[in-house]
PDB file of all heavy atoms in Angstrom:
ATOM      1  N   GLU A 111      -7.244  15.713 -29.714  1.00  0.00           N
ATOM      2  CA  GLU A 111      -7.119  14.262 -29.864  1.00  0.00           C
ATOM      3  C   GLU A 111      -5.632  14.000 -29.788  1.00  0.00           C
ATOM      4  O   GLU A 111      -4.865  14.546 -30.584  1.00  0.00           O
ATOM      5  CB  GLU A 111      -7.677  13.829 -31.220  1.00  0.00           C
ATOM      6  CG  GLU A 111      -7.680  12.339 -31.413  1.00  0.00           C
ATOM      7  CD  GLU A 111      -8.376  11.929 -32.714  1.00  0.00           C
ATOM      8  OE1 GLU A 111      -9.228  12.677 -33.205  1.00  0.00           O
ATOM      9  OE2 GLU A 111      -8.033  10.842 -33.215  1.00  0.00           O
ATOM     10  N   ALA A 112      -5.209  13.230 -28.798  1.00  0.00           N
ATOM     11  CA  ALA A 112      -3.777  13.050 -28.604  1.00  0.00           C
ATOM     12  C   ALA A 112      -3.483  11.705 -27.964  1.00  0.00           C
ATOM     13  O   ALA A 112      -4.355  11.067 -27.386  1.00  0.00           O
ATOM     14  CB  ALA A 112      -3.230  14.175 -27.728  1.00  0.00           C
ATOM     15  N   LYS A 113      -2.220  11.311 -28.086  1.00  0.00           N
ATOM     16  CA  LYS A 113      -1.749  10.075 -27.485  1.00  0.00           C
ATOM     17  C   LYS A 113      -0.714  10.456 -26.422  1.00  0.00           C
ATOM     18  O   LYS A 113       0.168  11.284 -26.673  1.00  0.00           O
ATOM     19  CB  LYS A 113      -1.117   9.197 -28.561  1.00  0.00           C
ATOM     20  CG  LYS A 113      -0.914   7.774 -28.162  1.00  0.00           C
ATOM     21  CD  LYS A 113      -0.459   6.967 -29.379  1.00  0.00           C
ATOM     22  CE  LYS A 113      -0.536   5.495 -29.093  1.00  0.00           C
ATOM     23  NZ  LYS A 113      -0.160   4.715 -30.269  1.00  0.00           N
ATOM     24  N   TYR A 114      -0.872   9.864 -25.254  1.00  0.00           N
ATOM     25  CA  TYR A 114       0.016  10.181 -24.134  1.00  0.00           C
ATOM     26  C   TYR A 114       0.593   8.908 -23.546  1.00  0.00           C
ATOM     27  O   TYR A 114       0.023   7.829 -23.679  1.00  0.00           O
ATOM     28  CB  TYR A 114      -0.771  10.892 -23.011  1.00  0.00           C
ATOM     29  CG  TYR A 114      -1.360  12.208 -23.425  1.00  0.00           C
ATOM     30  CD1 TYR A 114      -2.685  12.282 -23.853  1.00  0.00           C
ATOM     31  CD2 TYR A 114      -0.606  13.364 -23.397  1.00  0.00           C
ATOM     32  CE1 TYR A 114      -3.238  13.493 -24.230  1.00  0.00           C
ATOM     33  CE2 TYR A 114      -1.151  14.580 -23.783  1.00  0.00           C
ATOM     34  CZ  TYR A 114      -2.464  14.635 -24.194  1.00  0.00           C
ATOM     35  OH  TYR A 114      -3.013  15.824 -24.577  1.00  0.00           O
ATOM     36  N   ARG A 115       1.725   9.060 -22.872  1.00  0.00           N
ATOM     37  CA  ARG A 115       2.261   7.982 -22.037  1.00  0.00           C
ATOM     38  C   ARG A 115       2.176   8.488 -20.610  1.00  0.00           C
ATOM     39  O   ARG A 115       2.577   9.616 -20.306  1.00  0.00           O
ATOM     40  CB  ARG A 115       3.698   7.651 -22.394  1.00  0.00           C
ATOM     41  CG  ARG A 115       4.289   6.624 -21.396  1.00  0.00           C
ATOM     42  CD  ARG A 115       5.574   5.999 -21.869  1.00  0.00           C
ATOM     43  NE  ARG A 115       5.270   4.992 -22.887  1.00  0.00           N
ATOM     44  CZ  ARG A 115       5.790   5.012 -24.126  1.00  0.00           C
ATOM     45  NH1 ARG A 115       6.616   5.954 -24.490  1.00  0.00           N
ATOM     46  NH2 ARG A 115       5.472   4.064 -24.990  1.00  0.00           N
ATOM     47  N   TYR A 116       1.613   7.641 -19.752  1.00  0.00           N
ATOM     48  CA  TYR A 116       1.458   7.992 -18.347  1.00  0.00           C
ATOM     49  C   TYR A 116       2.218   7.016 -17.466  1.00  0.00           C
ATOM     50  O   TYR A 116       2.365   5.841 -17.815  1.00  0.00           O
ATOM     51  CB  TYR A 116      -0.023   7.918 -17.925  1.00  0.00           C
ATOM     52  CG  TYR A 116      -0.843   9.084 -18.387  1.00  0.00           C
ATOM     53  CD1 TYR A 116      -1.558   9.018 -19.581  1.00  0.00           C
ATOM     54  CD2 TYR A 116      -0.915  10.255 -17.639  1.00  0.00           C
ATOM     55  CE1 TYR A 116      -2.329  10.081 -20.013  1.00  0.00           C
ATOM     56  CE2 TYR A 116      -1.679  11.326 -18.065  1.00  0.00           C
ATOM     57  CZ  TYR A 116      -2.379  11.236 -19.248  1.00  0.00           C
ATOM     58  OH  TYR A 116      -3.128  12.293 -19.673  1.00  0.00           O
ATOM     59  N   ILE A 117       2.668   7.519 -16.334  1.00  0.00           N
ATOM     60  CA  ILE A 117       3.110   6.673 -15.238  1.00  0.00           C
ATOM     61  C   ILE A 117       2.292   7.131 -14.039  1.00  0.00           C
ATOM     62  O   ILE A 117       2.072   8.336 -13.846  1.00  0.00           O
ATOM     63  CB  ILE A 117       4.634   6.756 -14.975  1.00  0.00           C
ATOM     64  CG1 ILE A 117       5.036   5.723 -13.917  1.00  0.00           C
ATOM     65  CG2 ILE A 117       5.073   8.179 -14.587  1.00  0.00           C
ATOM     66  CD1 ILE A 117       6.550   5.506 -13.827  1.00  0.00           C
ATOM     67  N   ARG A 118       1.759   6.151 -13.322  1.00  0.00           N
ATOM     68  CA  ARG A 118       0.936   6.488 -12.169  1.00  0.00           C
ATOM     69  C   ARG A 118       1.364   5.605 -10.997  1.00  0.00           C
ATOM     70  O   ARG A 118       1.687   4.432 -11.180  1.00  0.00           O
ATOM     71  CB  ARG A 118      -0.543   6.236 -12.502  1.00  0.00           C
ATOM     72  CG  ARG A 118      -1.472   7.170 -11.813  1.00  0.00           C
ATOM     73  CD  ARG A 118      -2.942   7.091 -12.227  1.00  0.00           C
ATOM     74  NE  ARG A 118      -3.338   6.394 -13.424  1.00  0.00           N
ATOM     75  CZ  ARG A 118      -3.562   6.989 -14.604  1.00  0.00           C
ATOM     76  NH1 ARG A 118      -3.425   8.294 -14.750  1.00  0.00           N
ATOM     77  NH2 ARG A 118      -3.949   6.279 -15.641  1.00  0.00           N
ATOM     78  N   PHE A 119       1.357   6.180  -9.801  1.00  0.00           N
ATOM     79  CA  PHE A 119       1.740   5.472  -8.590  1.00  0.00           C
ATOM     80  C   PHE A 119       0.526   5.351  -7.675  1.00  0.00           C
ATOM     81  O   PHE A 119      -0.054   6.362  -7.287  1.00  0.00           O
ATOM     82  CB  PHE A 119       2.866   6.230  -7.856  1.00  0.00           C
ATOM     83  CG  PHE A 119       4.069   6.462  -8.718  1.00  0.00           C
ATOM     84  CD1 PHE A 119       4.216   7.652  -9.427  1.00  0.00           C
ATOM     85  CD2 PHE A 119       5.055   5.497  -8.842  1.00  0.00           C
ATOM     86  CE1 PHE A 119       5.320   7.867 -10.242  1.00  0.00           C
ATOM     87  CE2 PHE A 119       6.165   5.705  -9.659  1.00  0.00           C
ATOM     88  CZ  PHE A 119       6.296   6.897 -10.361  1.00  0.00           C
ATOM     89  N   TRP A 120       0.143   4.120  -7.388  1.00  0.00           N
ATOM     90  CA  TRP A 120      -0.978   3.817  -6.492  1.00  0.00           C
ATOM     91  C   TRP A 120      -0.398   3.251  -5.199  1.00  0.00           C
ATOM     92  O   TRP A 120       0.461   2.378  -5.243  1.00  0.00           O
ATOM     93  CB  TRP A 120      -1.887   2.761  -7.105  1.00  0.00           C
ATOM     94  CG  TRP A 120      -2.645   3.160  -8.333  1.00  0.00           C
ATOM     95  CD1 TRP A 120      -2.210   3.081  -9.633  1.00  0.00           C
ATOM     96  CD2 TRP A 120      -3.984   3.655  -8.405  1.00  0.00           C
ATOM     97  NE1 TRP A 120      -3.201   3.499 -10.489  1.00  0.00           N
ATOM     98  CE2 TRP A 120      -4.305   3.857  -9.762  1.00  0.00           C
ATOM     99  CE3 TRP A 120      -4.956   3.946  -7.429  1.00  0.00           C
ATOM    100  CZ2 TRP A 120      -5.537   4.328 -10.181  1.00  0.00           C
ATOM    101  CZ3 TRP A 120      -6.192   4.415  -7.849  1.00  0.00           C
ATOM    102  CH2 TRP A 120      -6.471   4.602  -9.212  1.00  0.00           C
ATOM    103  N   LYS A 121      -0.885   3.742  -4.042  1.00  0.00           N
ATOM    104  CA  LYS A 121      -0.403   3.252  -2.758  1.00  0.00           C
ATOM    105  C   LYS A 121      -1.581   2.839  -1.894  1.00  0.00           C
ATOM    106  O   LYS A 121      -2.619   3.482  -1.902  1.00  0.00           O
ATOM    107  CB  LYS A 121       0.404   4.345  -2.048  1.00  0.00           C
ATOM    108  CG  LYS A 121       1.047   3.879  -0.746  1.00  0.00           C
ATOM    109  CD  LYS A 121       2.054   4.891  -0.248  1.00  0.00           C
ATOM    110  CE  LYS A 121       2.610   4.597   1.117  1.00  0.00           C
ATOM    111  NZ  LYS A 121       2.708   3.248   1.552  1.00  0.00           N
ATOM    112  N   LYS A 122      -1.378   1.733  -1.158  1.00  0.00           N
ATOM    113  CA  LYS A 122      -2.442   1.212  -0.295  1.00  0.00           C
ATOM    114  C   LYS A 122      -2.393   1.907   1.063  1.00  0.00           C
ATOM    115  O   LYS A 122      -1.338   2.000   1.684  1.00  0.00           O
ATOM    116  CB  LYS A 122      -2.284  -0.299  -0.126  1.00  0.00           C
ATOM    117  CG  LYS A 122      -3.493  -0.972   0.461  1.00  0.00           C
ATOM    118  CD  LYS A 122      -3.376  -2.485   0.341  1.00  0.00           C
ATOM    119  CE  LYS A 122      -4.744  -3.121   0.315  1.00  0.00           C
ATOM    120  NZ  LYS A 122      -4.680  -4.540  -0.024  1.00  0.00           N
ATOM    121  N   PHE A 123      -3.544   2.379   1.494  1.00  0.00           N
ATOM    122  CA  PHE A 123      -3.724   3.026   2.794  1.00  0.00           C
ATOM    123  C   PHE A 123      -4.847   2.292   3.521  1.00  0.00           C
ATOM    124  O   PHE A 123      -5.624   1.574   2.883  1.00  0.00           O
ATOM    125  CB  PHE A 123      -4.123   4.502   2.615  1.00  0.00           C
ATOM    126  CG  PHE A 123      -3.050   5.332   1.977  1.00  0.00           C
ATOM    127  CD1 PHE A 123      -3.052   5.544   0.602  1.00  0.00           C
ATOM    128  CD2 PHE A 123      -2.029   5.883   2.738  1.00  0.00           C
ATOM    129  CE1 PHE A 123      -2.057   6.289   0.001  1.00  0.00           C
ATOM    130  CE2 PHE A 123      -1.025   6.638   2.145  1.00  0.00           C
ATOM    131  CZ  PHE A 123      -1.034   6.845   0.777  1.00  0.00           C
TER     132      PHE A 123
END
Side-chain angles (χ1 to χ4, degrees):
E111 184 174 335
K113 195 172 192 177
Y114 298 96
R115 174 166 283 123
Y116 283 94
I117 186 167
R118 212 173 346 263
F119 304 94
W120 293 87
K121 185 168 173 29
K122 194 169 206 170
F123 295 95

